[in-house]
Amino acid sequence: HDYILKNPMVKIELMKLDKKVYTIVTEEEVQKVRNICPNKRELALFDFLYETGVRVSECSNAKISDINWEKKCIKVIGKGN
């Protein structure tokens, strides 16, 4: 069991990673997308995705039984359950 007594990584500099730059969608751009939705179903789907921030896979896995109509909320099973 030849354990290392000192950390060999002490003198190694950490790599600098590029920071992600997120672009913000303007209200005007959101309205443009809403205006081109061909029907109420797609408009509702877009609004749900945009307003909640759920992933597309989370949205597609949602069931009608996950909706609590009285409390106006939905249970979303996300990444990692």
Side-chain angles (χ1 to χ4, degrees):
H1 297 182
D2 295 327
Y3 289 110
I4 299 173
L5 300 176
K6 293 182 182 178
N7 183 353
M9 298 300 292
V10 169
K11 293 184 179 179
I12 305 295
E13 291 184 32
L14 295 176
M15 293 184 342
K16 292 186 179 181
L17 302 174
D18 293 337
K19 291 183 180 180
K20 288 184 180 179
V21 177
Y22 296 99
T23 57
I24 309 260
V25 180
T26 66
E27 286 297 320
E28 184 179 306
E29 292 168 327
V30 170
Q31 197 57 45
K32 283 181 184 178
V33 173
R34 292 184 88 246
N35 289 339
I36 63 170
C37 287
N39 52 50
K40 289 182 180 182
R41 181 178 184 267
E42 287 195 20
L43 178 60
L45 184 58
F46 171 75
D47 283 343
F48 178 70
L49 290 167
Y50 178 72
E51 295 293 335
T52 62
V54 298
R55 294 176 175 88
V56 173
S57 62
E58 295 166 346
C59 180
S60 66
N61 291 330
K63 300 175 190 75
I64 296 291
S65 60
D66 294 333
I67 302 172
N68 183 330
W69 296 103
E70 291 174 7
K71 292 183 180 179
K72 296 182 180 179
C73 63
I74 183 170
K75 177 176 67 174
V76 177
I77 307 299
K79 192 174 180 180
N81 227 5

